[in-house]
Structure formats: structure tokens, C-alpha cells
């Protein structure tokens, strides 16, 4: 079947990172080839018969043509066989994709506007970055905190919706080292197109060292912990931290200690209490020029230590 593998042309299809990706491409290649052959037969035959049986003189009359039972059987039976073969082939691939292997490495992924929050079993969290060891079954457990997102890795040919209020899952076994793109393929709001992540396939040794970072970060300074939390909670998707330029929300760069004008004309000092209130009750005070109801509340999602770390990080954005 490998002669059907048109994905070897890198300019045509993404890199194949798993065995299932190869199987999907083989089926897709078969469909393309059979469709091309059918198109040539149907369109080519039509053009040929139009030319062969064209009217040559004004007195030509249409000849009486009876049906051909054998021919009619063939053009019905052959497509039926091809259709059934494609159905069984597709079912086999789909069954492999949806049969979750036992003892797979489980990784929790939370979709949110507009980032992927990743958490490993040891509690280590990252954002927009999934790191997995090569040659090991990996199960991604998906959910969403707001709207429907869709976790898609083109090089692995896998895609699964992340739905609020429930868990969905997909699995893969990476066969190539390197970095692969993660996209959201379900329109989820203003910055949907920027909801891009990276899936890194590394050696087992590098993966173990990667997880150890979670243990080391427990001893980070408060502001560094806040910086990490700021990234994990996808705050950078809406707020600039290195320039005055606004994104979906107002910039936080060099704001601490200054006054911020609200949409009602009130001016509020940008201090620790304002930062805390904006995180827990984001719709209480709306900065002038920005819409209401865009930022979700983090009430119940952050403990006091995490709030203090975030406040300290924002204070140091100078």
C-alpha cells in the first residue's frame, strides 16, 4: 500500500509523526487516485462519445441503442466494492485512533480563550507546550473552561474537540523527534487564530529532565512564580507586558503606581488592591476604551499565594 503514500511529498502534506498518520495518508492517497481515475473515465468517456456520435449532417437521426445489462452491472458493482473497501479501511483506522491504549502517559490539556493549559501528573504546568517522549503511548485528556475548542496536531493527523463541562480524549505514539504545531480548529473568539501551541517530541531522558523543572520551580522568587502563572493562565493572550500597546485588554506595562481611567470617567490608582480586584472581579471596573464582559473571573481558581505572585509580577513590569 505504500505506493499510495503521497504524503512523502513534504510540500503537499505535513510531516508524518505517527504510524496512524501514515495510515490516514495511505487511505487519502487511495481516494485521490481512485477519484482521479473515475474522473478520467467519466469525463473522458463523455468527451469521446460526444465527439464520436456527433451529428454529422442535418438529416442524421439518433440511432436506437438498447441497454447493456453486463455493462450496467459493472458500473454499479465496481464502485460498490470500492466504497465498501474504503469504508472498512476507514473504520479500521478510526478504530485504532479511538481505542485508548492501557498504561499510556496521561496529560491534561485545558482549552481556554486563547491558549492551551497543560498539566502533567506531577503537577507541572505549562502553556501552549506539550512535551512527550518518543515511542510511548500518550493520552491527552481534554476539556474547556469557556467555549468549544478543538485540539489539532496536523503532523499526527489527530483532532478532538475540547468541550466545556466534560472530558474528551485522544491518543498517539510519536515516532519522530522534533517540534510539531498545535492548532485550535474550532472558532472560539477574537484571538482564535493566535491559539497556537507546540508539541515537542524528545528522548526519554530529556522528558524526565523536563518534568524535573516542576520540582525546581517551587523555589523560585515570588515574581518569577507570578510570571510562570501569568503564562499558564494565558494572561499574555490579552495583556501586553513589554509595551504600552493594547491587545484584547489593556497593557500592564509600567502601569503600577499610576492612575487608570475607567469607562465612567472615574480614575483609580493602579495598586495591589486594584490588581487583585481586577483578577477576581474583572467587570467591576472597566478601563476606558475596552468592552465589558471579555475577561473571565478567576474567583476560586487562584489561592492567596498565587494571587500574591501575580501581583508581584505585575508590579515589576518596568
Amino acid at each position: 500500500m505504500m505506493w499510495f503514500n503521497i504524503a512523502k511529498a513534504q510540500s503537499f502534506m505535513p510531516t508524518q509523526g505517527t504510524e496512524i498518520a501514515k495510515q490516514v495518508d495511505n487511505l487519502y492517497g487511495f481516494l485521490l487516485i481512485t477519484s482521479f481515475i473515475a474522473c478520467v473515465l467519466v469525463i473522458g468517456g463523455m468527451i469521446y462519445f460526444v465527439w464520436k456520435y456527433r451529428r454529422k449532417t442535418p438529416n442524421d437521426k439518433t440511432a436506437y441503442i438498447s441497454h447493456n445489462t453486463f455493462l450496467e452491472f459493472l458500473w454499479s458493482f465496481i464502485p460498490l466494492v470500492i466504497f465498501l473497501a474504503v469504508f472498512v479501511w476507514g473504520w479500521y483506522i478510526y478504530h485504532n485512533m479511538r481505542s485508548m491504549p492501557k498504561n499510556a502517559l496521561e496529560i491534561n490539556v485545558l482549552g481556554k480563550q486563547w491558549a492551551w493549559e497543560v498539566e502533567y501528573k506531577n503537577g507541572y504546568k505549562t502553556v501552549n507546550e506539550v512535551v512527550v517522549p518518543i515511542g510511548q503511548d500518550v493520552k491527552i485528556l481534554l476539556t474547556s473552561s469557556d467555549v468549544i475548542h478543538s485540539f489539532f496536531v496536523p503532523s499526527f493527523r489527530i483532532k478532538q474537540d475540547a468541550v466545556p463541562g466534560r472530558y474528551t480524549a485522544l491518543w498517539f505514539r510519536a515516532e519522530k523527534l522534533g517540534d510539531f504545531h498545535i492548532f485550535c480548529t474550532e472558532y472560539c473568539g477574537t484571538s482564535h487564530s493566535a491559539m497556537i501551541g507546540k508539541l515537542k517530541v524528545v528522548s526519554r531522558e530529556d522528558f524526565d529532565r523536563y518534568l524535573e523543572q516542576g520540582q525546581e520551580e517551587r523555589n523560585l522568587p515570588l515574581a518569577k512564580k507570578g510570571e510562570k502563572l501569568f503564562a499558564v493562565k494565558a494572561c499574555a493572550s490579552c495583556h501586553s507586558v513589554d509595551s504600552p500597546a493594547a491587545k484584547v485588554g489593556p497593557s500592564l506595562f509600567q502601569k503600577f503606581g499610576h492612575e487608570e481611567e475607567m469607562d465612567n470617567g472615574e480614575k483609580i490608582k493602579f495598586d495591589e488592591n486594584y490588581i487583585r480586584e481586577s483578577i477576581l472581579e474583572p467587570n467591576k471596573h472597566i478601563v476606558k476604551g475596552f468592552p465589558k464582559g471579555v475577561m473571565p473571573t478567576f474567583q476560586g481558581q487562584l489561592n492567596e499565594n498565587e494571587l500574591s505572585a501575580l501581583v508581584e509580577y505585575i508590579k515589576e513590569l518596568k
Side-chain angles (χ1 to χ4, degrees):
M1 293 294 183
M2 291 308 295
W3 67 279
F4 291 125
N5 198 348
I6 57 175
K8 287 184 177 180
Q10 296 299 319
S11 59
F12 184 72
M13 295 285 279
T15 303
Q16 297 170 337
T18 63
E19 178 61 32
I20 284 180
K22 297 175 184 177
Q23 295 176 15
V24 170
D25 288 352
N26 289 338
L27 175 57
Y28 188 64
F30 176 80
L31 289 172
L32 281 180
I33 291 172
T34 52
S35 297
F36 176 76
I37 293 173
C39 181
V40 169
L41 290 176
V42 173
I43 304 301
M46 182 185 69
I47 295 173
Y48 171 74
F49 289 128
V50 165
W51 176 82
K52 180 176 175 61
Y53 298 106
R54 68 190 184 280
R55 189 176 187 183
K56 298 181 178 63
T57 68
N59 296 323
D60 280 354
K61 293 184 179 180
T62 302
Y64 176 75
I65 301 174
S66 179
H67 70 90
N68 186 310
T69 303
F70 178 71
L71 187 61
E72 292 173 355
F73 172 78
L74 283 183
W75 71 43
S76 299
F77 180 73
I78 292 175
L80 175 64
V81 171
I82 294 174
F83 170 80
L84 291 176
V86 169
F87 174 81
V88 173
W89 192 353
W91 177 87
Y92 172 77
I93 296 174
Y94 179 78
H95 176 74
N96 289 341
M97 294 174 68
R98 302 309 305 170
S99 298
M100 303 294 165
K102 296 181 179 179
N103 302 318
L105 169 67
E106 290 192 2
I107 302 174
N108 289 71
V109 176
L110 174 68
K112 58 169 64 175
Q113 294 175 314
W114 290 272
W116 300 105
E117 183 178 312
V118 183
E119 184 171 8
Y120 296 86
K121 290 297 184 181
N122 68 346
Y124 182 45
K125 293 183 179 181
T126 62
V127 63
N128 290 335
E129 182 181 76
V130 180
V131 178
V132 300
I134 191 170
Q136 179 172 348
D137 295 335
V138 177
K139 180 179 178 181
I140 302 292
L141 196 61
L142 288 162
T143 189
S144 170
S145 63
D146 36 53
V147 299
I148 296 177
H149 300 281
S150 191
F151 187 88
F152 177 45
V153 185
S155 293
F156 293 177
R157 313 296 190 268
I158 55 173
K159 184 170 78 73
Q160 178 64 53
D161 285 355
V163 183
R166 61 171 295 181
Y167 290 106
T168 56
L170 53 79
W171 81 275
F172 60 86
R173 181 190 298 161
E175 296 185 341
K176 285 189 177 182
L177 296 171
D179 296 349
F180 304 94
H181 292 296
I182 299 172
F183 297 103
C184 177
T185 53
E186 184 79 29
Y187 181 71
C188 55
T190 309
S191 297
H192 163 69
S193 60
M195 194 170 171
I196 300 173
K198 185 178 293 184
L199 192 151
K200 293 185 176 183
V201 181
V202 299
S203 66
R204 184 73 221 189
E205 295 75 17
D206 288 342
F207 178 71
D208 291 338
R209 282 195 293 269
Y210 178 78
L211 288 186
E212 288 175 4
Q213 296 179 27
Q215 308 303 322
E216 296 171 358
E217 287 185 2
R218 294 181 180 179
N219 300 318
L220 288 175
L222 193 60
K224 284 293 183 181
K225 290 181 181 178
E227 182 179 4
K228 178 69 177 178
L229 193 60
F230 193 88
V232 168
K233 294 300 182 181
C235 306
S237 299
C238 299
H239 299 285
S240 300
V241 295
D242 54 5
S243 75
K247 293 185 179 180
V248 178
S251 171
L252 304 178
F253 180 62
Q254 296 182 341
K255 287 294 183 70
F256 188 78
H258 296 81
E259 287 189 337
E260 195 80 293
E261 185 177 359
M262 303 296 113
D263 58 357
N264 60 1
E266 180 185 5
K267 291 187 177 181
I268 300 177
K269 187 175 182 180
F270 199 112
D271 58 11
E272 290 89 348
N273 286 320
Y274 174 75
I275 297 173
R276 178 190 174 88
E277 193 174 61
S278 297
I279 294 172
L280 301 180
E281 300 179 74
N283 293 314
K284 186 174 182 179
H285 301 293
I286 305 299
V287 177
K288 184 178 181 180
F290 293 91
K292 187 175 183 178
V294 175
M295 179 174 170
T297 178
F298 287 89
Q299 186 80 47
Q301 301 181 39
L302 300 170
N303 58 40
E304 288 299 325
N305 291 332
E306 291 173 326
L307 280 170
S308 298
L310 278 172
V311 170
E312 189 64 25
Y313 170 63
I314 295 172
K315 286 169 64 176
E316 294 190 2
L317 292 176
K318 301 177 182 179

